[in-house]
Amino acid sequence: MTSATIAANDPGEPLSDHDDGSEKTVALQDQEQSEGQTSKVADVPPDGGYGWVCVAAVFMVNAHTWGLNSSYGVFLAHYLANNTYPGATYLEYAFVGGLSISQALLISPLATITTRKYGTRTTLLLGVFFETLSLITASFTTQIWQLFLTQGVCFGYGMGFLFVGSVGVVPQWFSRRRSLANSIGTAGSGIGGLTYSLATNAMIQSIGLGWAFRILGILAFTVNCICAILIKDRNKAIGASQLAFDYRLFKKKEYLLLQGWGFFSMLGYVVLLFSLPNYATSIGLTARQGSIIGALLNLGQGLGRPMVGLFSDSAGRINIAGFLTFLCGLFCFVIWIFAKSFGVLIFFSLIVGTVAGTFWTTIAPVGAEVVGLKELPSALSITWLVLVLPTTFSEPIALELSQGIGGAYIHAQIFTGFMYMAAAFCMLLLRAWKIGQLEMLAAENADTIKGTNPIETQYRERSPSARSRDARSTLVKRMFMWKRV
């Protein structure tokens, strides 16, 4: 998809108005109307209105899916400290957390098909059913394989249906403030994670593991049901594609770079999300202090994500996504490795939380920049499948690295930092591609308004596409030049 198409799908970008009001365009429209032909008008999002209700509902859905799942770090620390399921290994416990995320992503094509055939609300209600079932049944588990099926697989299915059903809704309602609105919605996972990290540890200590699961199930059922009723999509208005797997997207190098960014980001993100409470206990802190560290990481996400969206709308969505991804890797190298006390770990959790989930905050707006709103549901559906592998194996890799050197986390910390750096490099290349597209579009526009000049005759004999390609800067220059993209 060219930049022109992306701009047409995003009225908030200045590219879409380069030919507004031209005499040629007006004449063509008058001619079509006189001939009785129906012209297809590009949809313009309302940029607010009921969209803010959807933002609030998506916020609460994220709080009671991803936010609730963020508390698995507390569960993991409890399992490892108390040998809750006799015979289970630390790797098996790690896989439970990975399964909950990977299964949510693996179910995404089915959730996309369900949305196309039966609507968004049906998809959301299916998610409510599976998530509630998982938490209630997990309260009766006595063996590790039962935990795999309940807190791992079944919870992942519920989270997947709720996530896929809601993730594409907010961008459909906004244009100029799309990143801000989307980041507010995704901030729910951080606030939910803060709340449930503290509440889960308190419930486990006071009323036991079983009743902690049951109360979480009742809360998730109530809130998610209300949100499923409130959320409304605009799929018909924008003519959204709901193909579960559009293989043609893999022919676009820019889409492959987008996938690379997501793949490497998740290898680092899941380690941060699930390992910090256990890392806290590994350096001599208590389980309560570990739960506070996990909660503060989520607080950082809740506070940071709206700011990420705000700066994305002003400084450029790809610019901010790449820079903050790089910043997260840098924090892992210069702060986490040296965090050996409760105070330093509190500081690290807060500051890294603001940028750790940059992918989740910006994937929908950045995806719209790359493929356009019409293809966004299909593009995201494939993205979730690509992320199955890193989300499944990231935490087991981290625990294996730490156990290999006597429980020290240094190798896991280095691994996390490098994964974020690799993700940032993918975004740097994607940014260069986007700038190249803008330069080509500018050259094409300039070519159409120039008059015939004898000196330029030889140049104009070449095809417009060849001339526009020549107008692009070199790759290295585009990687480091400043431009709002």
Side-chain angles (χ1 to χ4, degrees), residues 105 250 255 259-260 262-263 381-390:
L105 302 175
F250 285 110
Y255 185 68
Q259 301 311 301
F263 188 93
S381 182
I382 297 175
T383 299
W384 312 145
L385 287 179
V386 171
L387 299 184
V388 168
L389 281 178

Side-chain angles (χ1 to χ4, degrees), residues 172 234-243 373-378:
Q172 296 175 352
R234 301 184 67 249
N235 289 334
K236 292 182 179 179
I238 67 174
S241 168
Q242 294 290 340
L243 293 176
L373 278 178
K374 184 177 180 180
E375 299 297 329
L376 184 60
S378 298

Side-chain angles (χ1 to χ4, degrees), residues 189-402:
S189 63
I191 300 302
L194 165 67
T195 304
Y196 285 117
S197 291
L198 295 175
T200 297
N201 182 67
M203 286 189 290
I204 291 175
Q205 300 300 324
S206 60
I207 59 177
L209 182 64
W211 273 107
F213 274 125
R214 292 172 199 130
I215 292 175
L216 291 176
I218 294 170
L219 288 172
F221 173 80
T222 303
V223 175
N224 287 333
C225 273
I226 295 173
C227 293
I229 295 172
L230 293 175
I231 290 176
K232 294 181 181 179
D233 63 59
R234 301 184 67 249
N235 289 334
K236 292 182 179 179
I238 67 174
S241 168
Q242 294 290 340
L243 293 176
F245 194 90
D246 189 353
Y247 68 91
R248 293 170 296 180
L249 291 171
F250 285 110
K251 297 180 181 179
K252 302 171 184 263
K253 59 181 180 296
E254 63 271 20
Y255 185 68
L256 295 178
L257 289 172
L258 188 70
Q259 301 311 301
W261 172 51
F263 188 93
F264 291 117
S265 290
M266 287 303 99
L267 282 173
Y269 175 74
V270 174
V271 176
L272 284 174
L273 189 66
F274 292 154
S275 290
L276 278 182
N278 192 53
Y279 171 76
T281 59
S282 74
I283 61 172
L285 302 181
T286 65
R288 181 177 177 276
Q289 289 174 316
S291 69
I292 292 174
I293 294 301
L296 291 176
L297 172 71
N298 286 287
L299 174 62
Q301 294 195 72
L303 297 177
R305 290 187 178 189
M307 298 304 296
V308 171
L310 183 63
F311 286 115
S312 293
D313 286 331
S314 58
R317 292 153 187 170
I318 296 177
N319 288 340
I320 292 299
F323 174 70
L324 294 184
T325 301
F326 167 80
L327 208 57
C328 187
L330 186 65
F331 289 155
C332 291
F333 285 126
V334 302
I335 303 177
W336 190 18
I337 289 177
F338 305 101
K340 304 298 182 182
S341 66
F342 188 47
V344 177
L345 201 53
I346 285 176
F347 173 72
F348 172 72
S349 300
L350 281 171
I351 194 170
V352 84
T354 61
V355 294
T358 296
F359 172 82
W360 299 112
T361 309
T362 58
I363 178 57
V366 170
E369 292 286 334
V370 175
V371 302
L373 278 178
K374 184 177 180 180
E375 299 297 329
L376 184 60
S378 298
L380 292 179
S381 182
I382 297 175
T383 299
W384 312 145
L385 287 179
V386 171
L387 299 184
V388 168
L389 281 178
T391 53
T392 300
F393 295 101
S394 178
E395 181 62 9
I397 289 172
L399 280 182
E400 183 65 26
L401 289 173
S402 64

